[in-house]
Amino acid sequence: MASTVWSPKERADLLDRVLRQLRRSQLVVAEEIRKIGPGWSVRTPSLPWVWSLNQLRIAEAVTFPDVVALAEEHLAGLPYRHVVVEEEATAESLGAALLSAGWTFDREVLMVLAEPPDRQIDTSTVIEVTEDAMLVLMRRWIKEERAGISAEALDQIEEYNRREGRALGERRFGFVGDDGAPLAITKLRVDGTTGWVEDVYTSPEARGRGYARTLVTNAATLAKSEGAELTFIVADDDDWPKDLYARIGFRPVGRTKTFHKDLSAVMRST
């Protein structure tokens, strides 16, 4: 498999474009965004259980005591603390201390379409799916990923997906079964010269049929046809889909870490 080589400046420029799109998705949906020293505070009182809309986003170097203090100040009243660290070196420097203090973390890899796929895929069977069909599968995905999630939180995440999709003008693509039930989905957002492939999910009973590869290939092809000079996707850096995206032609330009601390158990005991 060929490997794209970017100069440090090229990689930094690509990463900056991706991060700006990720921030924009919050700007158009979140109800309160404030600039704080090393980044931003994001709050959405109407959807308090949606982590993506109630978080700190850290873009500069910061110490462990400072990030904890900022989280306590700006996320007060929430049953969790949620912090996204965009800069890799800062994330690594914070990791050990936050884990010792009871936080968990997820690492995401930001990947840009840079090369042809390892093989051609027929995408003619992909269809556009309705918002309702997309939300049916999103609920299944969320329950699969977050066992025991409350009905209230699930409803709020569904509403977040609805608001974000409409605000960003996303298109939804997928496969459905003979009964019309959705089997697999992905989303495509095109903003000028930037395309974003998001939320790739296949229901458990339909896995192993190549739906994910077909959907991502279809979305990437459409993004290019609609004028995107850069198309990106975000993947869990500790899971297998990033390898699939690499076979389609996506290459890493950077990584972020998301730190999360659940305070609900502490709150229940006080």
Side-chain angles (χ1 to χ4, degrees):
M1 185 181 296
S3 180
T4 298
V5 178
W6 290 296
S7 70
K9 183 180 184 308
E10 288 171 330
R11 182 181 292 272
D13 288 345
L14 290 169
L15 177 58
D16 181 64
R17 288 182 65 181
V18 172
L19 290 171
R20 279 190 278 122
Q21 285 297 317
L22 294 175
R23 296 169 192 152
R24 176 177 174 266
S25 69
Q26 292 180 318
L27 287 171
V28 299
V29 182
E31 294 166 358
E32 302 170 5
I33 296 183
R34 298 179 183 177
K35 183 70 176 73
I36 59 176
W40 300 267
S41 164
V42 180
R43 291 293 296 261
T44 305
S46 68
L47 299 174
W49 284 103
V50 179
W51 301 346
S52 298
L53 295 181
N54 297 277
Q55 63 173 237
L56 295 188
R57 197 164 191 101
I58 303 297
E60 301 174 9
V62 64
T63 65
F64 166 70
D66 285 344
V67 78
V68 171
L70 287 167
E72 291 301 314
E73 176 184 356
H74 294 284
L75 303 179
L78 293 169
Y80 57 85
R81 301 290 180 260
H82 198 74
V83 179
V84 177
V85 183
E86 295 182 350
E87 207 273 323
E88 288 187 61
T90 300
E92 290 302 317
S93 70
L94 292 171
L98 286 168
L99 290 175
S100 296
W103 296 63
T104 61
F105 79 90
D106 293 306
R107 180 171 44 229
E108 293 185 321
V109 56
L110 315 181
M111 306 177 75
V112 168
L113 188 64
E115 297 170 5
D118 62 349
R119 59 188 173 90
Q120 296 302 308
I121 297 294
D122 177 12
T123 62
S124 63
T125 55
V126 174
I127 64 169
E128 290 205 44
V129 299
T130 65
E131 180 182 75
D132 286 344
M134 176 271 293
L135 292 172
V136 167
L137 275 191
M138 290 299 297
R139 289 182 75 94
R140 289 193 66 182
W141 187 7
I142 294 161
K143 287 192 286 187
E144 184 178 333
E145 292 289 314
R146 293 171 59 178
I149 186 171
S150 70
E152 179 184 13
L154 190 58
D155 287 344
Q156 289 188 19
I157 295 171
E158 178 178 311
E159 176 60 21
Y160 159 58
N161 275 274
R162 184 181 290 107
R163 292 184 192 180
E164 184 183 50
R166 293 177 181 180
L168 296 175
E170 71 185 17
R171 298 171 66 187
R172 300 162 297 273
F173 300 94
F175 289 94
V176 299
D178 294 339
D179 60 356
L183 297 175
I185 55 161
T186 195
K187 305 172 182 176
L188 173 64
R189 302 159 179 174
V190 178
D191 177 26
T193 58
T194 302
W196 176 5
V197 183
E198 172 70 346
D199 287 337
V200 185
Y201 176 73
T202 303
S203 58
E205 68 274 12
R207 291 172 186 167
R209 304 180 191 177
Y211 288 156
R213 177 191 274 267
T214 304
L215 289 173
V216 174
T217 300
N218 176 73
T221 301
L222 280 175
K224 184 176 181 180
S225 72
E226 294 177 7
E229 298 171 358
L230 177 151
T231 298
F232 73 93
I233 194 167
V234 181
D236 185 338
D237 201 27
D238 299 310
D239 205 353
W240 67 266
K242 69 176 184 180
D243 299 321
L244 170 63
Y245 305 151
R247 294 195 294 274
I248 294 170
F250 288 87
R251 297 292 178 266
V253 293
R255 287 169 171 80
T256 63
K257 270 189 177 179
T258 300
F259 296 93
H260 185 85
K261 187 171 186 179
D262 181 7
L263 302 180
S264 58
V266 175
M267 295 173 70
R268 285 195 298 270
S269 66
T270 58

